[in-house]
C-alpha cells in the first residue's frame, strides 16, 4: 500500500501531463511534494508487515496463523496469532497470541497466552528488568542472566544462519538449533516433541510440527 502511494504521488506531481494540466495560478510547489513524500516514507518505516500461514492436519486446513512485524526506529514489535479447530478424541479449539518487543536487537518483553476450549492458560512473560530477565508463569518467578537476541518468533522472518541456540518464550529457556539440511533446521523441544523449519530466501515457508500424537504443517500462503 505504501509503495503504491509513493508511485501515485510521483505520477500526480512530477508527470502532470498524464493527468490534468495545472494552470499558472496553481503551480506545483516542490516543497509540498517533498513534504508529502517524507510523510509517506515515514509511514512506510513504521508500517506493519503481515504474513499468513495455513495450518493443516492430514491435508485438511484446520486453522490459520498470522505473523506481524512492525518496525519503529530502534524498536521491533512481533505478534503471532493463531486459531485452530480440530478433533482428536474430542473437539478442540485453540487460540494463541505471542508478542515480543526488541530494541536494538535485544529482547525487552515477550508474552505467551493460550486459550484452549475457552479456558485461558497461565500467561508466560519474559521481561528485561535491572540487567536481567524476569520469567513469570502465573505466580511463579525465575530469572535469566543470558541476553536474548533471537527467539522462536524470529524464526518466521530470519533464517538462523550460524545461530546455535534460540530462546523459547513458551518454555522460557534456550533450545539448541540443529541444521537438518539446506535451509532446514530442527528445534527439539523440552517436552520431547520437535519442529522442522524450512526456509527460502531467508524467510520461513513451512513449519512441520512433529508431536507424539499428531503432525501439523504450517504453510505460508
Amino acid at each position: 500500500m505504501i509503495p503504491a502511494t509513493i508511485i501515485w504521488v510521483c505520477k500526480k506531481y512530477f508527470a502532470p501531463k498524464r493527468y490534468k494540466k495545472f494552470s499558472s495560478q496553481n503551480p506545483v510547489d516542490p516543497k509540498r511534494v517533498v513534504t508529502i513524500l517524507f510523510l509517506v516514507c515515514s509511514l512506510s518505516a513504521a508500517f506493519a508487515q503481515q504474513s499468513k500461514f495455513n495450518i493443516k492436519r492430514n491435508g485438511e486446513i484446520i486453522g490459520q496463523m498470522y505473523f506481524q512485524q512492525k518496525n519503529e526506529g530502534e524498536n521491533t514489535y512481533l505478534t503471532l496469532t493463531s486459531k485452530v479447530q480440530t478433533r482428536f478424541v474430542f473437539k478442540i479449539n485453540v487460540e494463541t497470541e505471542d508478542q515480543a518487543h526488541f530494541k536494538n536487537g535485544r529482547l525487552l518483553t515477550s508474552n505467551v497466552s493460550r486459550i484452549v476450549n475457552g479456558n485461558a492458560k497461565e500467561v508466560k512473560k519474559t521481561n528485561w528488568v535491572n540487567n536481567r530477565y524476569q520469567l513469570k508463569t502465573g505466580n511463579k518467578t525465575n530469572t535469566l542472566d543470558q541476553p536474548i537476541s533471537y527467539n522462536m518468533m524470529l524464526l518466521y522472518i530470519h533464517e538462523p544462519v550460524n545461530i546455535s541456540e534460540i530462546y523459547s518464550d513458551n518454555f522460557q529457556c534456550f533450545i539448541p538449533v540443529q541444521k537438518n539440511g539446506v535451509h532446514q533446521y530442527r528445534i527439539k523441544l523440552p517436552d520431547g516433541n520437535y519442529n522442522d523449519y524450512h526456509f527460502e530466501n531467508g524467510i520461513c515457508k513451512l513449519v512441520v510440527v512433529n508431536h507424539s500424537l499428531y503432525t501439523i504443517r504450517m504453510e505460508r500462503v
Side-chain angles (χ1 to χ4, degrees), residues 38 56 101 120 149:
F38 174 79
K56 295 182 177 181
H101 171 204
S149 59

Side-chain angles (χ1 to χ4, degrees), residues 95-213:
E95 297 182 28
T96 70
E97 182 176 68
D98 296 0
Q99 296 179 328
H101 171 204
F102 286 83
K103 185 174 183 179
N104 291 325
R106 170 178 286 179
L107 179 69
L108 293 186
T109 64
S110 73
N111 297 288
V112 176
S113 61
R114 303 284 185 267
I115 300 177
V116 181
N117 290 339
N119 298 315
K121 302 298 182 179
E122 291 181 320
V123 177
K124 299 184 178 183
K125 299 182 178 182
T126 301
N127 296 311
W128 178 253
V129 180
N130 297 326
N131 295 321
R132 63 168 47 182
Y133 288 102
Q134 288 186 353
L135 314 179
K136 293 185 178 182
T137 301
N139 295 324
K140 299 178 181 178
T141 302
N142 291 307
T143 59
L144 178 68
D145 294 325
Q146 185 176 347
I148 301 172
S149 59
Y150 196 109
N151 71 344
M152 294 282 286
M153 295 180 69
L154 285 175
L155 282 169
Y156 292 95
I157 52 174
H158 293 302
E159 183 176 350
V161 178
N162 298 324
I163 294 177
S164 60
E165 61 179 7
I166 62 175
Y167 179 71
S168 168
D169 307 271
N170 184 40
F171 291 99
Q172 297 182 317
C173 65
F174 281 89
I175 302 176
V177 177
Q178 174 185 323
K179 189 170 176 57
N180 232 27
V182 179
H183 305 300
Q184 298 180 25
Y185 303 83
R186 175 165 293 180
I187 307 296
K188 294 184 178 180
L189 305 174
D191 61 3
N193 300 306
Y194 62 93
N195 298 342
D196 290 328
Y197 294 81
H198 301 254
F199 291 81
E200 183 179 320
N201 297 322
I203 302 297
C204 182
K205 296 294 185 180
L206 169 67
V207 181
V208 182
V209 178
N210 299 280
H211 193 275
S212 58
L213 299 177

